[in-house]
Amino acid sequence: MTLYLSKFCLRLAIAGTALAATLGSGSAVEAAGAGTIVPQEDMTEFCQQAAAARYEVSLDAITTNPPIERDGKILVLGSVQNDDTDQAMGIDCRFEPNGAFIDIIEAPGMND
């Protein structure tokens, strides 16, 4: 029951964050989502939804890979397809080892 409630609350938090970003609050995704504890099995979905809200694109424009551990952090690597330029921008969703969401950064090297 607790796990179900946690997942339900996570989905509500993600939906609220996406709605706030859609309504024009700019960096609401990072401010609202930073520190959110995300189970590793939900990190790809969390990253996809947070990136869609941040870059104001549909979920179909975001691709993500399974989480990996690097430099003491958990990363979800992915890309955002830009409809205007038809080019993909690499992103990294970063999490603490305990699952706390840190932020989304543009992936170095892919965007040059």
Side-chain angles (χ1 to χ4, degrees):
M1 180 72 170
T2 302
L3 178 60
Y4 176 77
L5 279 175
S6 295
K7 285 190 173 192
F8 178 74
C9 291
L10 172 63
R11 292 184 196 284
L12 282 178
I14 292 170
T17 299
L19 178 60
T22 301
L23 294 175
S25 59
S27 63
V29 171
E30 288 186 81
T36 301
I37 304 295
V38 182
Q40 194 161 350
E41 65 269 13
D42 296 331
M43 287 180 179
T44 54
E45 181 181 353
F46 183 93
C47 179
Q48 184 180 21
Q49 292 187 14
R54 178 175 177 177
Y55 295 104
E56 298 180 358
V57 297
S58 70
L59 289 174
D60 294 338
I62 310 293
T63 58
T64 53
N65 295 311
I68 60 170
E69 293 184 34
R70 185 183 299 161
D71 299 328
K73 303 284 186 240
I74 300 173
L75 302 177
V76 174
L77 308 177
S79 64
V80 178
Q81 185 70 33
N82 184 330
D83 290 335
D84 295 334
T85 63
D86 202 32
Q87 292 184 353
M89 172 181 63
I91 58 167
D92 295 351
C93 292
R94 301 184 309 160
F95 298 84
E96 293 289 352
N98 69 351
F101 177 65
I102 301 170
D103 61 5
I104 301 172
I105 63 168
E106 292 184 18
M110 184 172 176
N111 309 320
D112 296 335

